[in-house]
Amino acid sequence: HRIAARCGDAAKRVVVRTFHSLCAWFLRCEAKRIGLPADFVIVDDDDSLDILKACADDLGYSDLLRPRGYDNPAIKLLNSISDAKLAALDSDDGAAEVAVVPRTVFNILDGEERKLACAYQDELESQHALDFADLVYLTGSSLNARGGIYKRWAQRFSLIQVDEMQDTHMSEYLVFRMLAAR
């Protein structure tokens, strides 16, 4: 509203979003092209933990995620799953115009954790759900493929301003860099 008041009609060409909101918008725009259900839902951290715990119960790994004093293995594993997805953007694993996280991104995890990560990702996909790391991973991998999606979006913005750049994760930076390629 403030931008519209200040810029008038020119504000219609301005996109102001949080980073994850930008990724969600991108994915909704490109859903059909990359095979993502347009009605996908975004799960927050609490929902993600619930899904991970349900997967652990199904696989008989409940003890693996049981809190131990101040240590919460479920949160640690969820962070490791997110880290694996985000790290994949800087590798060959993150380069396809496809709306699925390849299970190979979880190869950096050990045995039971890898199985849990794959089950967690399978459950997200069965629910047409994305977590916050999926938003970044799928946006980055779609742009990283350098195909038609990249060409469209690399021409989309003439100026990109990022607030709090010092708090930007490398995977987020890679998305911005691809969007600002022009």
Side-chain angles (χ1 to χ4, degrees), residues 36 41 43 48 51-53 55-56 59 77-78 80-86 98-106 109 113-138:
L36 186 68
V41 296
V43 295
S48 293
I51 293 169
L52 184 62
K53 288 175 183 178
C55 290
L59 292 173
L77 180 55
L78 194 59
S80 296
I81 290 169
S82 293
D83 290 346
K85 292 176 191 180
L86 299 177
V98 62
V100 69
V101 175
R103 300 312 182 259
T104 56
V105 304
F106 303 125
L109 302 175
E113 291 181 344
R114 184 177 330 121
K115 289 177 187 173
L116 260 173
C118 291
Y120 167 79
Q121 199 62 40
D122 290 342
E123 185 59 27
L124 285 178
E125 289 172 13
S126 75
Q127 294 182 24
H128 295 183
L130 304 177
D131 63 16
F132 294 127
D134 289 335
L135 294 174
V136 180
Y137 176 84
L138 293 173

mmCIF file of all heavy atoms in Angstrom, residues 36 41 43 48 51-53 55-56 59 77-78 80-86 98-106 109 113-138:
data_model
loop_
_atom_site.group_PDB
_atom_site.id
_atom_site.type_symbol
_atom_site.label_atom_id
_atom_site.label_comp_id
_atom_site.label_asym_id
_atom_site.label_seq_id
_atom_site.Cartn_x
_atom_site.Cartn_y
_atom_site.Cartn_z
ATOM 1 N N LEU A 36 4.346 -29.522 -10.810
ATOM 2 C CA LEU A 36 3.983 -29.345 -9.408
ATOM 3 C C LEU A 36 2.477 -29.093 -9.327
ATOM 4 O O LEU A 36 1.944 -28.311 -10.118
ATOM 5 C CB LEU A 36 4.743 -28.136 -8.840
ATOM 6 C CG LEU A 36 4.633 -27.844 -7.361
ATOM 7 C CD1 LEU A 36 5.322 -28.946 -6.566
ATOM 8 C CD2 LEU A 36 5.285 -26.503 -7.052
ATOM 9 N N VAL A 41 0.367 -26.987 -0.792
ATOM 10 C CA VAL A 41 0.289 -26.260 0.476
ATOM 11 C C VAL A 41 1.703 -26.125 1.037
ATOM 12 O O VAL A 41 2.591 -26.913 0.709
ATOM 13 C CB VAL A 41 -0.631 -26.952 1.506
ATOM 14 C CG1 VAL A 41 -2.067 -26.972 1.018
ATOM 15 C CG2 VAL A 41 -0.154 -28.352 1.819
ATOM 16 N N VAL A 43 3.903 -26.147 4.422
ATOM 17 C CA VAL A 43 3.862 -26.555 5.821
ATOM 18 C C VAL A 43 4.886 -25.755 6.610
ATOM 19 O O VAL A 43 5.990 -25.497 6.128
ATOM 20 C CB VAL A 43 4.081 -28.074 6.001
ATOM 21 C CG1 VAL A 43 2.954 -28.870 5.374
ATOM 22 C CG2 VAL A 43 5.417 -28.520 5.428
ATOM 23 N N SER A 48 5.944 -29.679 9.835
ATOM 24 C CA SER A 48 7.055 -30.507 9.367
ATOM 25 C C SER A 48 7.496 -31.482 10.446
ATOM 26 O O SER A 48 7.752 -32.661 10.165
ATOM 27 C CB SER A 48 8.243 -29.631 8.955
ATOM 28 O OG SER A 48 7.924 -28.866 7.818
ATOM 29 N N ILE A 51 4.955 -34.298 10.718
ATOM 30 C CA ILE A 51 5.093 -35.245 9.604
ATOM 31 C C ILE A 51 6.315 -36.140 9.827
ATOM 32 O O ILE A 51 6.254 -37.359 9.652
ATOM 33 C CB ILE A 51 5.179 -34.496 8.256
ATOM 34 C CG1 ILE A 51 3.841 -33.815 7.944
ATOM 35 C CG2 ILE A 51 5.597 -35.438 7.124
ATOM 36 C CD1 ILE A 51 3.894 -32.834 6.790
ATOM 37 N N LEU A 52 7.428 -35.536 10.246
ATOM 38 C CA LEU A 52 8.642 -36.313 10.494
ATOM 39 C C LEU A 52 8.426 -37.331 11.600
ATOM 40 O O LEU A 52 8.828 -38.499 11.475
ATOM 41 C CB LEU A 52 9.804 -35.374 10.841
ATOM 42 C CG LEU A 52 11.161 -36.027 11.036
ATOM 43 C CD1 LEU A 52 11.622 -36.719 9.754
ATOM 44 C CD2 LEU A 52 12.181 -34.996 11.484
ATOM 45 N N LYS A 53 7.767 -36.937 12.671
ATOM 46 C CA LYS A 53 7.500 -37.860 13.788
ATOM 47 C C LYS A 53 6.570 -38.989 13.361
ATOM 48 O O LYS A 53 6.756 -40.146 13.765
ATOM 49 C CB LYS A 53 6.924 -37.095 14.971
ATOM 50 C CG LYS A 53 7.954 -36.232 15.665
ATOM 51 C CD LYS A 53 7.327 -35.395 16.773
ATOM 52 C CE LYS A 53 8.355 -34.480 17.422
ATOM 53 N NZ LYS A 53 7.747 -33.632 18.462
ATOM 54 N N CYS A 55 6.353 -40.217 10.357
ATOM 55 C CA CYS A 55 7.176 -41.105 9.531
ATOM 56 C C CYS A 55 8.051 -41.993 10.415
ATOM 57 O O CYS A 55 8.219 -43.182 10.135
ATOM 58 C CB CYS A 55 8.054 -40.287 8.583
ATOM 59 S SG CYS A 55 7.143 -39.456 7.274
ATOM 60 N N ALA A 56 8.593 -41.413 11.474
ATOM 61 C CA ALA A 56 9.415 -42.196 12.409
ATOM 62 C C ALA A 56 8.586 -43.294 13.056
ATOM 63 O O ALA A 56 9.058 -44.429 13.200
ATOM 64 C CB ALA A 56 10.026 -41.281 13.466
ATOM 65 N N LEU A 59 8.031 -46.102 10.532
ATOM 66 C CA LEU A 59 9.234 -46.889 10.249
ATOM 67 C C LEU A 59 9.797 -47.578 11.489
ATOM 68 O O LEU A 59 10.786 -48.312 11.399
ATOM 69 C CB LEU A 59 10.318 -45.993 9.635
ATOM 70 C CG LEU A 59 10.035 -45.444 8.239
ATOM 71 C CD1 LEU A 59 11.103 -44.439 7.840
ATOM 72 C CD2 LEU A 59 9.951 -46.575 7.220
ATOM 73 N N LEU A 77 17.219 -33.335 13.130
ATOM 74 C CA LEU A 77 17.069 -34.059 11.874
ATOM 75 C C LEU A 77 16.343 -33.209 10.838
ATOM 76 O O LEU A 77 16.732 -33.188 9.670
ATOM 77 C CB LEU A 77 16.343 -35.395 12.075
ATOM 78 C CG LEU A 77 16.137 -36.217 10.801
ATOM 79 C CD1 LEU A 77 17.452 -36.468 10.062
ATOM 80 C CD2 LEU A 77 15.446 -37.530 11.127
ATOM 81 N N LEU A 78 15.317 -32.508 11.257
ATOM 82 C CA LEU A 78 14.601 -31.630 10.324
ATOM 83 C C LEU A 78 15.547 -30.566 9.770
ATOM 84 O O LEU A 78 15.516 -30.271 8.563
ATOM 85 C CB LEU A 78 13.392 -30.993 11.004
ATOM 86 C CG LEU A 78 12.379 -30.341 10.086
ATOM 87 C CD1 LEU A 78 11.812 -31.332 9.074
ATOM 88 C CD2 LEU A 78 11.246 -29.741 10.899
ATOM 89 N N SER A 80 18.780 -30.940 9.452
ATOM 90 C CA SER A 80 19.695 -31.661 8.555
ATOM 91 C C SER A 80 19.037 -31.930 7.202
ATOM 92 O O SER A 80 19.691 -31.840 6.160
ATOM 93 C CB SER A 80 20.138 -32.984 9.185
ATOM 94 O OG SER A 80 20.888 -32.752 10.343
ATOM 95 N N ILE A 81 17.753 -32.250 7.210
ATOM 96 C CA ILE A 81 17.011 -32.473 5.963
ATOM 97 C C ILE A 81 16.978 -31.175 5.152
ATOM 98 O O ILE A 81 17.243 -31.172 3.950
ATOM 99 C CB ILE A 81 15.589 -32.991 6.262
ATOM 100 C CG1 ILE A 81 15.652 -34.428 6.806
ATOM 101 C CG2 ILE A 81 14.707 -32.919 5.017
ATOM 102 C CD1 ILE A 81 14.340 -34.940 7.376
ATOM 103 N N SER A 82 16.666 -30.076 5.829
ATOM 104 C CA SER A 82 16.643 -28.771 5.145
ATOM 105 C C SER A 82 18.022 -28.423 4.606
ATOM 106 O O SER A 82 18.151 -27.967 3.460
ATOM 107 C CB SER A 82 16.170 -27.677 6.103
ATOM 108 O OG SER A 82 14.825 -27.869 6.446
ATOM 109 N N ASP A 83 19.049 -28.630 5.431
ATOM 110 C CA ASP A 83 20.415 -28.332 4.995
ATOM 111 C C ASP A 83 20.795 -29.149 3.762
ATOM 112 O O ASP A 83 21.456 -28.648 2.854
ATOM 113 C CB ASP A 83 21.410 -28.599 6.124
ATOM 114 C CG ASP A 83 21.312 -27.593 7.263
ATOM 115 O OD1 ASP A 83 20.660 -26.528 7.089
ATOM 116 O OD2 ASP A 83 21.865 -27.882 8.342
ATOM 117 N N ALA A 84 20.387 -30.410 3.730
ATOM 118 C CA ALA A 84 20.704 -31.268 2.582
ATOM 119 C C ALA A 84 20.041 -30.740 1.311
ATOM 120 O O ALA A 84 20.663 -30.721 0.246
ATOM 121 C CB ALA A 84 20.248 -32.702 2.868
ATOM 122 N N LYS A 85 18.799 -30.318 1.423
ATOM 123 C CA LYS A 85 18.096 -29.773 0.251
ATOM 124 C C LYS A 85 18.774 -28.504 -0.237
ATOM 125 O O LYS A 85 18.996 -28.319 -1.440
ATOM 126 C CB LYS A 85 16.636 -29.475 0.592
ATOM 127 C CG LYS A 85 15.786 -30.698 0.860
ATOM 128 C CD LYS A 85 14.385 -30.277 1.285
ATOM 129 C CE LYS A 85 13.571 -31.422 1.809
ATOM 130 N NZ LYS A 85 12.215 -31.012 2.212
ATOM 131 N N LEU A 86 19.095 -27.621 0.703
ATOM 132 C CA LEU A 86 19.676 -26.339 0.328
ATOM 133 C C LEU A 86 21.094 -26.489 -0.206
ATOM 134 O O LEU A 86 21.491 -25.784 -1.134
ATOM 135 C CB LEU A 86 19.628 -25.378 1.511
ATOM 136 C CG LEU A 86 18.208 -25.063 2.012
ATOM 137 C CD1 LEU A 86 18.253 -24.149 3.230
ATOM 138 C CD2 LEU A 86 17.337 -24.473 0.922
ATOM 139 N N VAL A 98 12.032 -29.905 -12.587
ATOM 140 C CA VAL A 98 11.129 -30.950 -12.144
ATOM 141 C C VAL A 98 10.745 -30.667 -10.702
ATOM 142 O O VAL A 98 11.560 -30.217 -9.909
ATOM 143 C CB VAL A 98 11.775 -32.348 -12.308
ATOM 144 C CG1 VAL A 98 13.010 -32.488 -11.474
ATOM 145 C CG2 VAL A 98 10.779 -33.439 -12.022
ATOM 146 N N ALA A 99 9.488 -30.916 -10.391
ATOM 147 C CA ALA A 99 8.953 -30.555 -9.073
ATOM 148 C C ALA A 99 9.077 -31.681 -8.065
ATOM 149 O O ALA A 99 8.123 -32.039 -7.408
ATOM 150 C CB ALA A 99 7.507 -30.125 -9.218
ATOM 151 N N VAL A 100 10.256 -32.224 -7.953
ATOM 152 C CA VAL A 100 10.473 -33.264 -6.966
ATOM 153 C C VAL A 100 11.903 -33.121 -6.446
ATOM 154 O O VAL A 100 12.812 -32.757 -7.190
ATOM 155 C CB VAL A 100 10.223 -34.662 -7.573
ATOM 156 C CG1 VAL A 100 11.266 -35.037 -8.590
ATOM 157 C CG2 VAL A 100 10.090 -35.709 -6.502
ATOM 158 N N VAL A 101 12.073 -33.353 -5.173
ATOM 159 C CA VAL A 101 13.407 -33.318 -4.580
ATOM 160 C C VAL A 101 14.014 -34.708 -4.759
ATOM 161 O O VAL A 101 13.483 -35.689 -4.233
ATOM 162 C CB VAL A 101 13.338 -32.949 -3.086
ATOM 163 C CG1 VAL A 101 14.715 -33.034 -2.442
ATOM 164 C CG2 VAL A 101 12.733 -31.561 -2.895
ATOM 165 N N PRO A 102 15.109 -34.828 -5.516
ATOM 166 C CA PRO A 102 15.704 -36.157 -5.703
ATOM 167 C C PRO A 102 16.216 -36.700 -4.377
ATOM 168 O O PRO A 102 16.799 -35.971 -3.582
ATOM 169 C CB PRO A 102 16.852 -35.911 -6.682
ATOM 170 C CG PRO A 102 17.072 -34.454 -6.717
ATOM 171 C CD PRO A 102 15.861 -33.786 -6.184
ATOM 172 N N ARG A 103 15.972 -37.955 -4.139
ATOM 173 C CA ARG A 103 16.353 -38.540 -2.859
ATOM 174 C C ARG A 103 17.861 -38.592 -2.679
ATOM 175 O O ARG A 103 18.354 -38.763 -1.575
ATOM 176 C CB ARG A 103 15.732 -39.932 -2.701
ATOM 177 C CG ARG A 103 14.194 -39.951 -2.755
ATOM 178 C CD ARG A 103 13.569 -38.884 -1.855
ATOM 179 N NE ARG A 103 12.123 -38.921 -1.866
ATOM 180 C CZ ARG A 103 11.354 -38.091 -2.565
ATOM 181 N NH1 ARG A 103 11.887 -37.153 -3.325
ATOM 182 N NH2 ARG A 103 10.054 -38.179 -2.496
ATOM 183 N N THR A 104 18.605 -38.409 -3.765
ATOM 184 C CA THR A 104 20.060 -38.405 -3.654
ATOM 185 C C THR A 104 20.566 -37.234 -2.816
ATOM 186 O O THR A 104 21.685 -37.294 -2.295
ATOM 187 C CB THR A 104 20.724 -38.360 -5.044
ATOM 188 O OG1 THR A 104 20.230 -37.221 -5.760
ATOM 189 C CG2 THR A 104 20.455 -39.641 -5.815
ATOM 190 N N VAL A 105 19.768 -36.184 -2.651
ATOM 191 C CA VAL A 105 20.216 -35.062 -1.816
ATOM 192 C C VAL A 105 20.387 -35.495 -0.367
ATOM 193 O O VAL A 105 21.119 -34.855 0.390
ATOM 194 C CB VAL A 105 19.286 -33.817 -1.894
ATOM 195 C CG1 VAL A 105 19.106 -33.342 -3.317
ATOM 196 C CG2 VAL A 105 17.952 -34.059 -1.230
ATOM 197 N N PHE A 106 19.746 -36.593 0.008
ATOM 198 C CA PHE A 106 19.832 -37.069 1.386
ATOM 199 C C PHE A 106 20.986 -38.047 1.609
ATOM 200 O O PHE A 106 21.137 -38.581 2.703
ATOM 201 C CB PHE A 106 18.504 -37.708 1.817
ATOM 202 C CG PHE A 106 17.336 -36.774 1.690
ATOM 203 C CD1 PHE A 106 16.218 -37.127 0.948
ATOM 204 C CD2 PHE A 106 17.350 -35.525 2.294
ATOM 205 C CE1 PHE A 106 15.146 -36.265 0.817
ATOM 206 C CE2 PHE A 106 16.278 -34.649 2.172
ATOM 207 C CZ PHE A 106 15.172 -35.018 1.432
ATOM 208 N N LEU A 109 23.222 -37.830 4.648
ATOM 209 C CA LEU A 109 22.739 -38.291 5.952
ATOM 210 C C LEU A 109 23.094 -39.760 6.137
ATOM 211 O O LEU A 109 23.304 -40.494 5.172
ATOM 212 C CB LEU A 109 21.222 -38.103 6.053
ATOM 213 C CG LEU A 109 20.705 -36.680 5.861
ATOM 214 C CD1 LEU A 109 19.177 -36.651 5.869
ATOM 215 C CD2 LEU A 109 21.260 -35.750 6.931
ATOM 216 N N GLU A 113 18.633 -41.967 9.391
ATOM 217 C CA GLU A 113 18.253 -40.590 9.114
ATOM 218 C C GLU A 113 17.917 -40.410 7.631
ATOM 219 O O GLU A 113 16.981 -39.695 7.289
ATOM 220 C CB GLU A 113 19.360 -39.619 9.541
ATOM 221 C CG GLU A 113 19.516 -39.539 11.045
ATOM 222 C CD GLU A 113 20.587 -38.555 11.477
ATOM 223 O OE1 GLU A 113 21.422 -38.149 10.645
ATOM 224 O OE2 GLU A 113 20.576 -38.199 12.671
ATOM 225 N N ARG A 114 18.680 -41.047 6.752
ATOM 226 C CA ARG A 114 18.414 -40.974 5.316
ATOM 227 C C ARG A 114 17.057 -41.605 5.001
ATOM 228 O O ARG A 114 16.263 -41.048 4.234
ATOM 229 C CB ARG A 114 19.517 -41.667 4.521
ATOM 230 C CG ARG A 114 19.326 -41.527 3.013
ATOM 231 C CD ARG A 114 20.451 -42.147 2.201
ATOM 232 N NE ARG A 114 21.729 -42.104 2.887
ATOM 233 C CZ ARG A 114 22.460 -43.182 3.190
ATOM 234 N NH1 ARG A 114 22.082 -44.367 2.839
ATOM 235 N NH2 ARG A 114 23.599 -43.078 3.830
ATOM 236 N N LYS A 115 16.777 -42.744 5.602
ATOM 237 C CA LYS A 115 15.482 -43.403 5.386
ATOM 238 C C LYS A 115 14.338 -42.520 5.871
ATOM 239 O O LYS A 115 13.303 -42.398 5.213
ATOM 240 C CB LYS A 115 15.439 -44.757 6.097
ATOM 241 C CG LYS A 115 16.310 -45.804 5.460
ATOM 242 C CD LYS A 115 16.276 -47.098 6.254
ATOM 243 C CE LYS A 115 17.289 -48.089 5.709
ATOM 244 N NZ LYS A 115 17.395 -49.279 6.545
ATOM 245 N N LEU A 116 14.530 -41.902 7.023
ATOM 246 C CA LEU A 116 13.507 -40.998 7.559
ATOM 247 C C LEU A 116 13.325 -39.780 6.666
ATOM 248 O O LEU A 116 12.199 -39.334 6.432
ATOM 249 C CB LEU A 116 13.891 -40.535 8.970
ATOM 250 C CG LEU A 116 13.218 -41.254 10.115
ATOM 251 C CD1 LEU A 116 13.810 -40.822 11.449
ATOM 252 C CD2 LEU A 116 11.735 -41.041 10.104
ATOM 253 N N ALA A 117 14.432 -39.236 6.172
ATOM 254 C CA ALA A 117 14.355 -38.076 5.283
ATOM 255 C C ALA A 117 13.586 -38.418 4.011
ATOM 256 O O ALA A 117 12.734 -37.644 3.555
ATOM 257 C CB ALA A 117 15.756 -37.572 4.943
ATOM 258 N N CYS A 118 13.854 -39.575 3.446
ATOM 259 C CA CYS A 118 13.147 -39.998 2.230
ATOM 260 C C CYS A 118 11.662 -40.220 2.511
ATOM 261 O O CYS A 118 10.806 -39.820 1.715
ATOM 262 C CB CYS A 118 13.782 -41.260 1.655
ATOM 263 S SG CYS A 118 15.432 -40.996 0.967
ATOM 264 N N ALA A 119 11.360 -40.844 3.646
ATOM 265 C CA ALA A 119 9.956 -41.056 4.016
ATOM 266 C C ALA A 119 9.252 -39.717 4.243
ATOM 267 O O ALA A 119 8.100 -39.531 3.828
ATOM 268 C CB ALA A 119 9.867 -41.921 5.271
ATOM 269 N N TYR A 120 9.931 -38.795 4.891
ATOM 270 C CA TYR A 120 9.388 -37.451 5.124
ATOM 271 C C TYR A 120 9.084 -36.768 3.789
ATOM 272 O O TYR A 120 7.998 -36.214 3.591
ATOM 273 C CB TYR A 120 10.401 -36.634 5.938
ATOM 274 C CG TYR A 120 10.127 -35.151 6.000
ATOM 275 C CD1 TYR A 120 9.166 -34.639 6.865
ATOM 276 C CD2 TYR A 120 10.834 -34.265 5.200
ATOM 277 C CE1 TYR A 120 8.918 -33.269 6.921
ATOM 278 C CE2 TYR A 120 10.601 -32.911 5.252
ATOM 279 C CZ TYR A 120 9.641 -32.419 6.117
ATOM 280 O OH TYR A 120 9.392 -31.064 6.168
ATOM 281 N N GLN A 121 10.034 -36.835 2.854
ATOM 282 C CA GLN A 121 9.831 -36.197 1.549
ATOM 283 C C GLN A 121 8.703 -36.884 0.783
ATOM 284 O O GLN A 121 7.895 -36.211 0.139
ATOM 285 C CB GLN A 121 11.131 -36.219 0.745
ATOM 286 C CG GLN A 121 11.155 -35.213 -0.371
ATOM 287 C CD GLN A 121 11.054 -33.779 0.127
ATOM 288 O OE1 GLN A 121 11.653 -33.415 1.132
ATOM 289 N NE2 GLN A 121 10.294 -32.969 -0.575
ATOM 290 N N ASP A 122 8.627 -38.202 0.857
ATOM 291 C CA ASP A 122 7.529 -38.937 0.218
ATOM 292 C C ASP A 122 6.182 -38.482 0.768
ATOM 293 O O ASP A 122 5.222 -38.294 0.022
ATOM 294 C CB ASP A 122 7.677 -40.447 0.433
ATOM 295 C CG ASP A 122 8.836 -41.058 -0.341
ATOM 296 O OD1 ASP A 122 9.327 -40.423 -1.302
ATOM 297 O OD2 ASP A 122 9.253 -42.174 0.038
ATOM 298 N N GLU A 123 6.127 -38.313 2.094
ATOM 299 C CA GLU A 123 4.865 -37.886 2.725
ATOM 300 C C GLU A 123 4.497 -36.466 2.312
ATOM 301 O O GLU A 123 3.329 -36.181 2.041
ATOM 302 C CB GLU A 123 4.968 -37.999 4.251
ATOM 303 C CG GLU A 123 3.674 -37.693 4.968
ATOM 304 C CD GLU A 123 2.500 -38.595 4.570
ATOM 305 O OE1 GLU A 123 2.720 -39.743 4.143
ATOM 306 O OE2 GLU A 123 1.341 -38.126 4.696
ATOM 307 N N LEU A 124 5.474 -35.575 2.251
ATOM 308 C CA LEU A 124 5.184 -34.221 1.767
ATOM 309 C C LEU A 124 4.582 -34.278 0.368
ATOM 310 O O LEU A 124 3.560 -33.632 0.094
ATOM 311 C CB LEU A 124 6.462 -33.363 1.740
ATOM 312 C CG LEU A 124 7.020 -32.852 3.053
ATOM 313 C CD1 LEU A 124 8.317 -32.072 2.801
ATOM 314 C CD2 LEU A 124 6.017 -31.978 3.778
ATOM 315 N N GLU A 125 5.215 -35.038 -0.500
ATOM 316 C CA GLU A 125 4.737 -35.121 -1.880
ATOM 317 C C GLU A 125 3.349 -35.741 -1.957
ATOM 318 O O GLU A 125 2.517 -35.296 -2.752
ATOM 319 C CB GLU A 125 5.742 -35.886 -2.740
ATOM 320 C CG GLU A 125 7.010 -35.084 -2.972
ATOM 321 C CD GLU A 125 8.117 -35.855 -3.661
ATOM 322 O OE1 GLU A 125 7.859 -36.956 -4.199
ATOM 323 O OE2 GLU A 125 9.249 -35.345 -3.661
ATOM 324 N N SER A 126 3.064 -36.722 -1.125
ATOM 325 C CA SER A 126 1.734 -37.345 -1.151
ATOM 326 C C SER A 126 0.658 -36.362 -0.684
ATOM 327 O O SER A 126 -0.495 -36.474 -1.096
ATOM 328 C CB SER A 126 1.707 -38.619 -0.307
ATOM 329 O OG SER A 126 1.686 -38.319 1.068
ATOM 330 N N GLN A 127 1.036 -35.411 0.143
ATOM 331 C CA GLN A 127 0.093 -34.403 0.633
ATOM 332 C C GLN A 127 0.082 -33.137 -0.233
ATOM 333 O O GLN A 127 -0.586 -32.169 0.115
ATOM 334 C CB GLN A 127 0.441 -34.001 2.073
ATOM 335 C CG GLN A 127 0.267 -35.090 3.076
ATOM 336 C CD GLN A 127 0.591 -34.616 4.490
ATOM 337 O OE1 GLN A 127 0.535 -33.435 4.820
ATOM 338 N NE2 GLN A 127 0.917 -35.558 5.358
ATOM 339 N N HIS A 128 0.839 -33.139 -1.340
ATOM 340 C CA HIS A 128 1.011 -31.946 -2.178
ATOM 341 C C HIS A 128 1.489 -30.782 -1.321
ATOM 342 O O HIS A 128 1.001 -29.661 -1.429
ATOM 343 C CB HIS A 128 -0.271 -31.561 -2.909
ATOM 344 C CG HIS A 128 -0.717 -32.563 -3.901
ATOM 345 N ND1 HIS A 128 -1.799 -32.374 -4.706
ATOM 346 C CD2 HIS A 128 -0.235 -33.787 -4.243
ATOM 347 C CE1 HIS A 128 -1.970 -33.421 -5.479
ATOM 348 N NE2 HIS A 128 -1.027 -34.291 -5.215
ATOM 349 N N ALA A 129 2.463 -31.071 -0.473
ATOM 350 C CA ALA A 129 2.964 -30.090 0.480
ATOM 351 C C ALA A 129 4.444 -29.807 0.237
ATOM 352 O O ALA A 129 5.189 -30.667 -0.223
ATOM 353 C CB ALA A 129 2.764 -30.595 1.907
ATOM 354 N N LEU A 130 4.831 -28.587 0.551
ATOM 355 C CA LEU A 130 6.223 -28.166 0.480
ATOM 356 C C LEU A 130 6.607 -27.560 1.817
ATOM 357 O O LEU A 130 5.818 -26.833 2.417
ATOM 358 C CB LEU A 130 6.423 -27.110 -0.611
ATOM 359 C CG LEU A 130 5.992 -27.455 -2.036
ATOM 360 C CD1 LEU A 130 6.194 -26.252 -2.952
ATOM 361 C CD2 LEU A 130 6.754 -28.654 -2.558
ATOM 362 N N ASP A 131 7.822 -27.850 2.260
ATOM 363 C CA ASP A 131 8.317 -27.148 3.435
ATOM 364 C C ASP A 131 9.135 -25.949 2.947
ATOM 365 O O ASP A 131 9.274 -25.729 1.742
ATOM 366 C CB ASP A 131 9.098 -28.081 4.368
ATOM 367 C CG ASP A 131 10.362 -28.673 3.763
ATOM 368 O OD1 ASP A 131 10.857 -28.166 2.724
ATOM 369 O OD2 ASP A 131 10.871 -29.650 4.334
ATOM 370 N N PHE A 132 9.675 -25.171 3.874
ATOM 371 C CA PHE A 132 10.382 -23.953 3.475
ATOM 372 C C PHE A 132 11.621 -24.253 2.632
ATOM 373 O O PHE A 132 11.924 -23.521 1.688
ATOM 374 C CB PHE A 132 10.750 -23.115 4.702
ATOM 375 C CG PHE A 132 9.547 -22.558 5.418
ATOM 376 C CD1 PHE A 132 9.380 -22.772 6.771
ATOM 377 C CD2 PHE A 132 8.582 -21.824 4.750
ATOM 378 C CE1 PHE A 132 8.272 -22.267 7.445
ATOM 379 C CE2 PHE A 132 7.472 -21.322 5.408
ATOM 380 C CZ PHE A 132 7.317 -21.541 6.750
ATOM 381 N N ALA A 133 12.319 -25.335 2.945
ATOM 382 C CA ALA A 133 13.494 -25.701 2.149
ATOM 383 C C ALA A 133 13.094 -26.125 0.742
ATOM 384 O O ALA A 133 13.817 -25.853 -0.222
ATOM 385 C CB ALA A 133 14.287 -26.803 2.845
ATOM 386 N N ASP A 134 11.932 -26.784 0.600
ATOM 387 C CA ASP A 134 11.445 -27.164 -0.732
ATOM 388 C C ASP A 134 11.198 -25.928 -1.595
ATOM 389 O O ASP A 134 11.470 -25.949 -2.795
ATOM 390 C CB ASP A 134 10.141 -27.958 -0.638
ATOM 391 C CG ASP A 134 10.317 -29.352 -0.075
ATOM 392 O OD1 ASP A 134 11.429 -29.906 -0.184
ATOM 393 O OD2 ASP A 134 9.333 -29.888 0.480
ATOM 394 N N LEU A 135 10.650 -24.885 -0.982
ATOM 395 C CA LEU A 135 10.389 -23.651 -1.736
ATOM 396 C C LEU A 135 11.672 -23.139 -2.370
ATOM 397 O O LEU A 135 11.712 -22.804 -3.554
ATOM 398 C CB LEU A 135 9.793 -22.572 -0.829
ATOM 399 C CG LEU A 135 8.410 -22.820 -0.258
ATOM 400 C CD1 LEU A 135 8.044 -21.721 0.742
ATOM 401 C CD2 LEU A 135 7.361 -22.909 -1.352
ATOM 402 N N VAL A 136 12.736 -23.101 -1.582
ATOM 403 C CA VAL A 136 14.019 -22.602 -2.073
ATOM 404 C C VAL A 136 14.625 -23.591 -3.068
ATOM 405 O O VAL A 136 15.056 -23.208 -4.156
ATOM 406 C CB VAL A 136 14.999 -22.360 -0.899
ATOM 407 C CG1 VAL A 136 16.346 -21.845 -1.410
ATOM 408 C CG2 VAL A 136 14.401 -21.393 0.114
ATOM 409 N N TYR A 137 14.630 -24.881 -2.708
ATOM 410 C CA TYR A 137 15.237 -25.890 -3.569
ATOM 411 C C TYR A 137 14.563 -25.934 -4.944
ATOM 412 O O TYR A 137 15.232 -25.904 -5.973
ATOM 413 C CB TYR A 137 15.183 -27.283 -2.927
ATOM 414 C CG TYR A 137 15.715 -28.332 -3.870
ATOM 415 C CD1 TYR A 137 17.076 -28.568 -3.961
ATOM 416 C CD2 TYR A 137 14.867 -29.023 -4.726
ATOM 417 C CE1 TYR A 137 17.581 -29.481 -4.862
ATOM 418 C CE2 TYR A 137 15.361 -29.931 -5.635
ATOM 419 C CZ TYR A 137 16.715 -30.154 -5.703
ATOM 420 O OH TYR A 137 17.218 -31.036 -6.619
ATOM 421 N N LEU A 138 13.245 -26.013 -4.961
ATOM 422 C CA LEU A 138 12.536 -26.149 -6.242
ATOM 423 C C LEU A 138 12.634 -24.888 -7.087
ATOM 424 O O LEU A 138 12.734 -24.968 -8.314
ATOM 425 C CB LEU A 138 11.075 -26.531 -5.997
ATOM 426 C CG LEU A 138 10.872 -27.926 -5.398
ATOM 427 C CD1 LEU A 138 9.408 -28.145 -5.031
ATOM 428 C CD2 LEU A 138 11.369 -29.006 -6.338
#
